[in-house]
């Protein structure tokens, strides 16, 4: 069947060639027949053969309609984003005014995704045929993918305006004004600004944003002139706060603007018309005097006018106070510990900070602590707004934490609260970011959309990969049909098109663009190179890879290398040393590159001090793989390297070198060796020579938890009772030591570990806190903490010594022929003529109230080694005892669990 399709196609191409069919003879039906052929080719999986046949034909017949169409549609179907052949066809039929075919061809391109050229051509075709409604619908699609098109957006806004759909009209005008600003067309910007002032003057955040863009892209004078158009609305509506803010912005651009200065004085007088000291403060600040710097005059006036009865103030020594009275030049303030404090106005202005009634400091001062805590925990949005507004409507999470911890929330409460707060700051439209500081949050007068919030975050972000994260967050929650996205996307296309010097930003931009256009093909910026070309231009692949600070792009980089670069296995091995990735190892394994793997891991093993992180990663994640034995690497050598690194990292921590990293590596190794018992497992299955080598290395690590060494040592003794440890005196070998049960031994280990890991660090903190309180000679807390420190040292030292001497008793060693460790003995008391029963264990398990006694106790020692039927007389503490042993059997040690 496939041969018949190819044969039929060859016949059609030859027929077209020899008959020289005219354009006028083509109809939409002809293209539909070709579509049927394409469907069959797709079903039979012969699209590549059809495309090859068409491309060969086009080499000598470049305007073949059949070949252009079939090749063009197959390219789009295979996601090659190559519409050049279909565009050639559209141009051919457009030149011959065959608009119905033009429309069909445009629709075929659009079947595979939005395309700027197809949409624009389709709209022109509808316009030629006077189909305005269809044209407008296509325009609405076009402006979503063509971020530079401004005139069409404006025409759509005017259309909606005429139809009375003001909401849609306003949205289109807003989109158009952004695009005209980018094109630096101020006349069009001014025209649309006027319409928006008329239709939606209350959207003050939008106008301020536009004003800032105009100031930056065009000039400051034009920004000021637009604000002058906006100001009258707020003055006439009595919103003097916003009117004053607008005037301040105008004066920031033009400090000599006498009209703005006159207007701000009038607004101040209206806002504070009920203030008893209004005229006096206007006079004192010289606000009406043109010789006084306008910004200084405004600052002085606002400081003075804030002082009024009932307002709160803050003094750096006396804390929060409330203004009780103002008379002439004297202010009376009630501070918590300084009531009726009198102060001159001049002194108050310089020494006090005015606080609003909702300022967080005021609330912490006047609200019940439990009530405030409850509100903070239950209403996170209110708390965030309160604190942000308390800090001039711009602050960071660090400042927010300082306001709440420990005054309102504990550290543990903050951890949970902080997680929820960050989600709210990211998603709640009430919150935004400063345009130039991504980590500073503001409260918006009008809610902000997610798209605008993310765009603002993008603009404020100074780190390239912070911007990568922002645009990826945008696409997770929004479509790329807004001008906000267009501006962000153009930032990366700018990098991708500048290949003179291939930096990490160029490579990362290329990878990001490929990731985006895989989902949105119409965004393809048509870069004139592929990954192979880009890779050849990279001077140092390792440097580029290690500099890509985004896990997804890093993974894409590896995928592209594997797909397009022949020597990828060797490159993967080099990159693994820089960043450990399971993906790299899995790909090398799946492609049977075990020689490269063996060489890589052998190199890491030989240079483990230099390659610490890859070596530790290799040990943790590779030695359990079923293919690990193929590498023929010594597990003992790996363990020796890890033990050495425990010692090395301890030394570097003590020398204050890369402390955080060394602590992390030290913990990873100890978890692997001791917590997961990987070292112990190896020791229990190897020869005594290896045990001696490895345990000696462990024993030599001075800083290592002694209980770890002791535990390993006892497990070795359990398996090899005659094992001689390096440096061990002969006397120790034959000494019985202190007999203990395993439960008792492990209990003491836990106690020692708790002292070392918990109590000692806590005590160190207590000493630090006590030292911070001043004079140590009279500091009872400091002395108590030092005494506690000495006690802890003595206790841990004694525990370590006991654990070193301890010998764990095994039940298979039990001998019931005589009274010994682990036996239960029944006695007949010949003095009282009563029966008694005791369990003989060690001092760590002794519990006389339950008749469990130590073999080292006076009674235990007296009974030790006697047999059934034997009669004993002895004296303890001047008391006479007379017993006969009736039975000896095995004690139930489960009672100790």
């Amino acid at each position: 069947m496939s041969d018949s399709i190819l044969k039929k196609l060859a016949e059609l191409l030859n027929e077209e060639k020899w008959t020289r069919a005219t354009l006028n003879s083509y109809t939409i039906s002809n293209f539909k027949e070709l579509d049927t052929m394409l469907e069959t080719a797709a079903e039979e999986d012969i699209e590549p053969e059809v495309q090859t046949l068409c491309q060969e034909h086009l080499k000598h017949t470049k305007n073949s309609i059949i070949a252009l169409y079939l090749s063009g549609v197959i390219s789009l179907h295979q996601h090659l984003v190559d519409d050049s052949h279909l565009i050639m066809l559209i141009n051919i039929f457009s030149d011959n005014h065959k608009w119905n075919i033009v429309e069909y061809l445009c629709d075929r391109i659009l079947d595979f995704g939005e395309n700027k050229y197809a949409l624009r051509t389709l709209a022109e075709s509808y316009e030629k045929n006077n189909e305005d409604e269809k044209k407008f619908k296509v325009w609405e699609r076009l402006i979503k993918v063509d971020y530079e098109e401004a005139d069409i957006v404006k025409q759509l806004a005017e259309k909606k305006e005429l139809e009375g759909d003001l909401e849609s009209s306003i949205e289109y005008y807003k989109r158009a004004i952004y695009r005209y600003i980018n094109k630096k067309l101020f006349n069009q910007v001014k025209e649309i600004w006027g319409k928006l002032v008329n239709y939606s003057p209350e959207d003050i955040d939008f106008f301020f944003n536009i004003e800032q863009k105009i100031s930056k892209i065009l000039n400051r004078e034009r920004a000021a002139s637009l604000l002058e158009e906006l100001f009258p609305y707020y003055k006439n509506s009595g919103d003097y706060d916003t009117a004053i803010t607008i005037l301040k912005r105008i004066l920031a651009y033009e400090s000599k603007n006498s009209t703005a200065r006159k207007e701000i004085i009038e607004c101040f007088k209206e806002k504070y018309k009920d203030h008893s000291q209004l005229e006096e403060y206007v006079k004192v600040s010289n606000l009406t005097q043109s010789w006084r710097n306008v910004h200084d005059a405004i600052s002085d006036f606002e400081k003075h006018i804030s002082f009024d009865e009932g307002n709160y103030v803050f003094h750096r020594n006396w804390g929060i106070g409330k203004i009780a009275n103002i008379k002439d030049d004297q202010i009376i303030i009630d501070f918590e510990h300084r009531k009726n404090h009198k102060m001159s106005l001049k002194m108050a202005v310089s020494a006090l900070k005015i606080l609003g009634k909702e300022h967080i400091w005021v609330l912490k001062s006047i609200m019940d602590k439990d009530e405030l805590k409850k509100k903070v925990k239950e209403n996170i949005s209110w708390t965030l707004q309160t604190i942000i507004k308390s800090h001039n409507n711009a602050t960071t999470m660090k400042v927010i934490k300082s306001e709440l911890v420990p005054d309102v929330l504990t550290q543990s409460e903050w951890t949970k609260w902080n997680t929820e707060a960050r989600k709210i700051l990211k998603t709640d439209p009430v919150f935004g970011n400063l345009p130039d500081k991504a980590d500073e949050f503001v409260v918006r007068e009008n809610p902000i959309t997610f798209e605008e919030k993310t765009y603002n975050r993008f603009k404020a972000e100074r780190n390239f990969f912070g911007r990568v994260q922002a645009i990826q967050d945008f696409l997770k929650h929004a479509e790329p049909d807004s001008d906000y996205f267009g501006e962000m996307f153009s930032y990366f296309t700018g990098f991708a098109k500048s290949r003179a010097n291939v930096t990490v930003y160029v490579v990362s931009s290329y990878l990001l663009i490929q990731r985006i256009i895989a989902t949105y093909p119409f965004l393809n910026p048509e870069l004139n190179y592929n990954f192979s070309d880009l890779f050849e231009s990279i001077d140092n692949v390792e440097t580029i890879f290690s500099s890509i600070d985004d896990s997804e792009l890093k993974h894409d980089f590896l995928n592209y290398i594997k797909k397009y670069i022949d020597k990828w296995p060797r490159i993967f091995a080099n990159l693994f040393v820089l960043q450990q990735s399971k993906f790299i190892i899995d790909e090398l394994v799946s492609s049977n590159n075990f020689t490269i793997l063996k060489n890589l891991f052998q190199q890491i093993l030989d240079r483990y001090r230099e390659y610490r992180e890859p070596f530790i990663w290799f040990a943790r994640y590779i030695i359990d793989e079923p293919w690990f034995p193929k590498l023929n690497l010594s597990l003992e050598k790996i363990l020796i390297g890890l033990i050495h690194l425990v010692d090395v990292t301890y030394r570097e921590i003590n020398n204050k070198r890369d402390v955080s990293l060394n602590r992390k590596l030290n913990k990873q190794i100890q978890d692997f060796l001791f917590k997961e018992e990987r070292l112990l497992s190896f020791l229990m299955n190897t020869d005594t020579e290896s045990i001696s080598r490895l345990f000696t290395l462990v024993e030599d690590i001075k800083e290592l938890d002694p209980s770890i060494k002791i535990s390993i040592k006892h497990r070795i003794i359990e398996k090899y009772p005659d094992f001689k440890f390096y440096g061990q005196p002969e006397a120790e070998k034959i000494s019985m030591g202190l007999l203990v049960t395993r439960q008792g031994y492990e209990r003491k280990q836990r106690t020692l570990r708790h002292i070392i890991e918990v109590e000692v660090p806590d005590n160190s903190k207590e000493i630090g806190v006590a030292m911070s309180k001043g004079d140590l000679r009279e500091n009872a807390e400091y002395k108590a903490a030092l005494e506690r420190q000495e006690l802890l040292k003595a206790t841990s030292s004694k525990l370590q010594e006991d654990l070193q001497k301890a010998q764990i008793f095994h039940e298979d060693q039990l001998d019931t022929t005589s009274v010994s460790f682990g036996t239960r003995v029944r006695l007949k008391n010949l003095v009282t003529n009563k029966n008694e029963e005791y369990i003989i264990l060690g001092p760590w398990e002794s519990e006389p109230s339950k008749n469990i006694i130590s073999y080292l106790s006076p009674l235990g020692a007296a009974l030790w080694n006697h047999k059934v039927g034997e009669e004993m007389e002895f004296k303890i503490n001047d008391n006479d005892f007379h017993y006969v042993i009736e039975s000896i059997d095995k004690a139930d040690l489960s009672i100790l669990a």
Side-chain angles (χ1 to χ4, degrees):
M1 183 70 176
S2 59
D3 290 339
S4 63
I5 291 290
L6 295 173
K7 183 178 179 182
K8 181 180 179 181
L9 173 57
E11 290 173 355
L12 285 173
L13 292 172
N14 283 327
E15 181 183 341
E16 180 189 46
K17 178 179 176 181
W18 294 112
T19 59
R20 299 183 183 276
T22 62
L23 290 173
N24 291 331
S25 64
Y26 271 92
T27 64
I28 291 175
S29 297
N30 297 124
F31 289 104
K32 288 184 176 179
E33 289 173 6
L34 294 177
D35 286 335
T36 302
M37 182 180 290
L38 283 170
E39 289 173 7
T40 305
E43 290 171 2
E44 298 184 14
D45 198 24
I46 58 169
E47 283 184 329
E49 290 86 344
V50 171
Q51 188 167 39
T52 300
L53 187 58
C54 290
Q55 288 174 344
E56 286 295 322
H57 186 72
L58 287 169
K59 288 180 180 179
H60 49 77
T61 313
K62 64 179 182 180
N63 288 333
S64 167
I65 293 171
I66 295 173
L68 287 171
Y69 184 76
L70 294 176
S71 176
V73 173
I74 289 173
S75 292
L76 293 177
H77 187 249
Q78 294 178 341
H79 305 291
L80 298 179
V81 200
D82 180 6
D83 55 11
S84 57
H85 286 168
L86 291 177
I87 288 175
M88 283 181 64
L89 269 184
I90 289 172
N91 288 334
I92 290 170
F93 284 101
S94 294
D95 292 342
N96 287 272
H97 307 292
K98 298 279 288 185
W99 301 115
N100 60 333
I101 293 179
V102 168
E103 290 173 18
Y104 185 83
L105 294 173
C106 288
D107 284 332
R108 283 299 280 137
I109 292 176
L110 295 170
D111 285 341
F112 298 94
E114 299 293 61
N115 179 289
K116 287 185 278 190
Y117 180 85
L119 288 168
R120 194 176 293 279
T121 305
L122 187 59
E124 289 173 1
S125 177
Y126 287 142
E127 188 168 38
K128 298 283 186 184
N129 294 327
N130 296 317
E131 296 179 275
D132 286 346
E133 283 306 312
K134 287 185 177 180
K135 176 187 73 175
F136 287 129
K137 289 186 181 300
V138 173
W139 275 1
E140 288 172 357
R141 294 166 62 187
L142 174 62
I143 63 171
K144 291 180 179 180
V145 297
D146 188 346
Y147 302 117
E148 295 182 1
E149 178 55 61
D151 292 337
I152 288 177
V153 182
K154 181 170 177 282
Q155 290 181 61
L156 286 170
E158 291 168 344
K159 175 179 180 292
K160 295 295 182 183
E161 185 180 11
L162 287 172
E163 292 173 352
D165 184 357
L166 287 182
E167 184 177 348
S168 299
S169 176
I170 289 167
E171 287 306 309
Y172 281 126
Y173 275 131
K174 285 181 177 180
R175 187 176 289 192
I177 199 171
Y178 277 115
R179 298 186 181 192
Y180 281 128
I181 291 171
N182 291 332
K183 290 175 177 288
K184 299 183 179 180
L185 298 175
F186 182 70
N187 288 337
Q188 287 86 337
V189 170
K190 183 175 175 61
E191 178 189 353
I192 296 174
W193 177 280
K195 285 183 175 291
L196 291 171
V197 168
N198 184 43
Y199 289 138
S200 61
E202 67 285 344
D203 194 355
I204 191 65
D205 291 318
F206 166 79
F207 287 110
F208 285 162
N209 188 25
I210 292 296
E211 162 239 318
Q212 289 173 339
K213 289 181 73 70
I214 291 169
S215 171
K216 184 176 180 180
I217 296 174
L218 297 171
N219 61 56
R220 295 165 62 86
E221 290 75 18
R222 286 177 169 175
S225 69
L226 293 180
L227 288 175
E228 287 173 351
E229 288 187 39
L230 179 63
F231 163 72
Y233 167 81
Y234 287 96
K235 180 185 177 183
N236 296 334
S237 61
D239 184 352
Y240 295 110
D241 284 331
T242 306
I244 289 167
T245 300
I246 293 170
L247 291 166
K248 285 181 181 178
R249 295 172 88 102
I250 293 172
L251 289 165
Y253 294 128
E254 301 173 339
S255 61
K256 300 295 185 182
N257 189 318
S258 58
T259 303
R261 184 167 188 153
K262 179 183 176 183
E263 290 287 2
I264 204 168
I265 293 169
E266 290 185 18
C267 288
F268 277 140
K269 287 183 175 181
E270 285 297 323
K271 179 179 178 180
Y272 298 108
K273 60 185 177 183
D274 296 325
H275 197 291
S276 59
Q277 306 293 316
L278 173 62
E279 293 301 328
E280 177 64 21
Y281 291 162
V282 170
K283 181 180 178 182
V284 168
S285 64
N286 292 308
L287 193 57
T288 59
Q289 305 302 312
S290 59
W291 56 266
R292 179 82 195 277
N293 178 283
V294 68
H295 304 297
D296 293 341
I298 290 171
S299 178
D300 274 1
F301 173 79
E302 290 185 324
K303 282 181 183 177
H304 283 79
I305 204 70
S306 299
F307 288 92
D308 202 5
E309 292 180 12
N311 286 352
Y312 289 91
V313 296
F314 173 79
H315 188 277
R316 63 181 181 178
N317 294 326
W318 306 327
I320 304 296
K322 188 175 184 180
I323 299 174
N325 184 262
I326 299 178
K327 188 172 182 181
D328 298 328
D329 190 39
Q330 189 177 73
I331 298 179
I332 299 175
I333 305 166
D334 287 333
F335 292 101
E336 185 177 1
H337 300 295
R338 189 180 283 260
K339 303 293 184 183
N340 296 316
H341 180 74
K342 296 178 181 178
M343 186 180 286
S344 69
L345 177 61
K346 184 177 181 180
M347 177 63 74
V349 169
S350 62
L352 301 178
K353 176 184 176 70
I354 290 291
L355 306 178
K357 291 180 174 63
E358 294 299 316
H359 195 288
I360 186 64
W361 296 353
V362 174
L363 297 178
K364 288 196 288 187
S365 175
I366 66 175
M367 280 185 73
D368 175 76
K369 186 173 181 179
D370 291 336
E371 182 185 343
L372 178 60
K373 182 172 190 167
K374 185 172 183 288
K375 187 165 186 178
V376 164
K377 293 174 81 171
E378 291 179 353
N379 196 335
I380 297 176
S381 180
W382 169 84
T383 308
L384 289 169
Q385 291 183 58
T386 299
I387 297 175
I388 292 171
K389 288 179 178 179
S390 298
H391 289 271
N392 297 319
N393 199 29
T395 197
T396 64
M397 284 304 293
K398 184 177 180 181
V399 173
I400 293 170
K401 180 179 180 180
S402 70
E403 294 290 5
L404 296 177
V405 180
D407 295 349
V408 182
L409 300 176
T410 64
Q411 180 60 49
S412 60
E413 288 171 331
W414 161 261
T415 302
K416 181 180 179 182
W417 191 93
N418 176 46
T419 302
E420 293 302 314
R422 288 185 181 275
K423 289 180 184 176
I424 291 171
L425 287 169
K426 188 174 182 179
T427 57
D428 192 327
V430 168
F431 300 101
N433 302 86
L434 281 183
D436 56 343
K437 294 180 181 178
D439 62 339
E440 292 207 18
F441 302 99
V442 299
V443 178
R444 299 268 302 202
E445 290 296 327
N446 295 301
I448 184 174
T449 63
F450 170 80
E451 289 89 342
E452 186 178 351
K453 179 182 287 193
T454 309
Y455 169 76
N456 289 343
R457 179 180 135 212
F458 178 90
K459 296 297 287 183
E461 182 62 67
R462 292 291 172 263
N463 180 276
F464 175 88
F465 290 101
R467 291 190 166 191
V468 169
Q469 187 60 54
I471 196 170
Q472 292 188 129
D473 285 347
F474 186 101
L475 289 173
K476 286 176 185 175
H477 303 284
E479 291 298 314
D481 59 358
S482 76
D483 289 88
Y484 297 124
F485 177 82
E487 195 166 331
M488 291 189 287
F489 190 63
S490 66
Y491 171 81
F492 297 106
T493 58
F495 274 111
K497 290 178 179 178
S498 59
R499 283 185 58 212
N501 178 26
V502 177
T503 65
V504 66
Y505 302 140
V506 174
V507 173
S508 299
S509 294
Y510 176 88
L511 296 171
L512 178 65
I513 289 167
Q514 299 308 311
R515 175 176 280 269
I516 291 172
I517 65 175
T519 306
Y520 306 101
F522 60 86
L523 292 173
N524 190 351
E526 299 179 359
L527 302 173
N528 59 356
Y529 62 90
N530 56 32
F531 182 79
S532 298
D533 300 327
L534 181 66
F535 193 82
E536 286 180 11
S537 302
I538 296 175
D539 292 331
N540 189 311
V541 176
E542 289 82 1
T543 300
I544 292 291
F545 179 72
S546 60
S547 300
I548 299 175
D549 192 16
D550 183 273
S551 58
E552 291 181 350
L553 295 187
K554 242 184 173 89
H555 190 268
D556 288 350
F557 188 62
L558 292 173
N559 268 322
Y560 275 92
I561 289 174
K562 183 175 184 293
K563 185 174 182 180
Y564 296 108
I565 309 302
D566 292 336
K567 56 182 180 179
W568 70 266
R570 177 58 54 199
I571 295 170
F572 269 33
N574 293 338
L575 295 181
F576 177 84
V577 175
L578 297 172
Q579 175 156 342
Q580 295 67 62
S581 163
K582 191 70 165 56
F583 173 77
I584 289 177
I585 303 303
D586 288 345
E587 292 301 315
L588 290 172
V589 170
S590 64
S591 57
N592 289 312
N593 276 287
F594 287 105
T595 301
I596 287 178
L597 274 172
K598 177 177 171 56
N599 293 337
L600 168 64
F601 291 138
Q602 188 65 60
Q603 177 192 20
I604 291 171
L605 180 57
D606 292 342
R607 300 164 64 183
Y608 67 85
R609 288 175 181 266
E610 180 184 350
Y611 295 145
R612 297 179 192 185
E613 290 182 86
F615 177 58
I616 295 168
W617 190 96
F618 157 61
R620 294 171 69 199
Y621 298 110
I622 299 303
I623 64 175
D624 290 332
E625 291 288 348
W627 46 263
F628 175 71
K630 292 184 180 181
L631 304 181
N632 294 319
L633 297 174
S634 167
L635 182 55
E636 181 178 342
K637 191 173 179 182
I638 293 170
L639 293 171
I640 288 171
L642 290 169
I643 296 168
H644 274 150
L645 284 182
V646 173
D647 194 27
V648 170
T649 51
Y650 268 132
R651 289 201 302 271
E652 297 203 350
I653 291 167
N654 292 336
N655 293 329
K656 309 296 183 188
R657 263 199 319 230
D658 296 326
V659 175
S660 296
L661 174 61
N662 279 302
R663 279 181 178 157
K664 182 185 83 170
L665 298 181
N666 185 285
K667 184 179 186 306
Q668 287 177 350
I669 302 171
Q670 289 209 47
D671 284 349
F672 178 80
L673 290 176
F674 309 126
K675 193 172 182 179
E676 297 175 23
E677 297 191 339
R678 298 301 189 104
L679 176 60
L680 187 61
S681 174
F682 180 80
L683 293 176
M684 294 297 100
N685 294 283
T686 191
D687 57 73
T688 54
E689 287 186 9
S690 294
I691 292 173
S692 182
R693 279 193 297 270
L694 288 164
F695 185 77
T696 301
L697 291 173
V698 172
E699 186 79 343
D700 287 343
I701 304 174
K702 295 178 182 179
E703 295 86 350
L704 187 64
D705 181 351
S707 66
I708 292 174
K709 299 178 185 179
I710 296 167
S711 177
I712 295 173
K713 187 174 183 179
H714 278 285
R715 292 294 294 274
I716 293 171
I717 292 172
E718 285 177 27
K719 183 159 186 177
Y720 300 102
D722 298 325
F723 185 87
K724 185 177 186 310
F725 293 93
Y726 178 76
Q728 178 186 27
E730 189 65 25
E732 182 180 332
K733 182 179 178 182
I734 61 173
S735 170
M736 182 177 80
L738 177 71
L739 284 173
V740 298
T741 63
R742 176 165 294 282
Q743 296 96 318
Y745 181 81
E746 290 175 350
R747 190 161 51 246
K748 290 291 184 182
Q749 273 191 316
R750 288 194 295 271
T751 301
L752 176 59
R753 189 171 290 115
H754 186 268
I755 290 172
I756 293 172
E757 296 179 358
V758 178
E759 294 187 52
V760 170
D762 286 349
N763 175 251
S764 297
K765 290 179 184 176
E766 289 172 7
I767 291 173
V769 171
M771 289 179 68
S772 69
K773 294 184 177 179
D775 190 353
L776 301 182
R777 293 171 299 179
E778 302 297 327
N779 193 327
E781 290 181 25
Y782 177 69
K783 291 178 181 178
L786 281 182
E787 290 173 5
R788 171 75 173 155
Q789 184 185 62
E790 291 303 316
L791 177 62
L792 289 172
K793 284 182 180 179
T795 304
S796 65
S797 179
K798 179 67 169 60
L799 275 172
Q800 290 177 41
E801 185 180 335
D802 288 347
L803 285 166
Q804 287 280 12
K805 292 189 298 183
Q807 288 191 359
I808 298 174
F809 171 79
H810 293 278
E811 293 188 40
D812 56 8
Q813 300 172 337
L814 182 64
D815 179 9
T816 57
T817 61
S818 62
V819 177
S820 60
F821 193 98
T823 59
R824 182 178 61 180
V825 56
R826 291 187 178 85
L827 307 170
K828 177 77 171 184
N829 191 325
L830 299 179
V831 176
T832 64
N833 204 33
K834 291 182 179 179
N835 290 325
E836 297 178 18
E837 182 178 296
Y838 298 98
I839 292 175
I840 311 299
L841 295 174
W844 290 358
E845 298 82 14
S846 176
E847 202 169 348
S849 63
K850 294 183 179 179
N851 288 351
I852 301 173
I853 63 173
S854 167
Y855 70 92
L856 296 177
S857 68
L859 178 59
L863 296 174
W864 189 261
N865 221 23
H866 285 281
K867 298 179 180 179
V868 174
E870 290 186 358
E871 189 174 321
M872 299 157 293
E873 289 187 68
F874 49 87
K875 188 185 289 284
I876 299 175
N877 296 331
D878 296 327
N879 293 318
D880 293 322
F881 293 87
H882 191 187
Y883 288 112
V884 63
I885 299 176
E886 293 190 336
S887 69
I888 302 171
D889 55 19
K890 178 181 177 182
D892 181 9
L893 298 185
S894 66
I895 62 173
L896 302 175

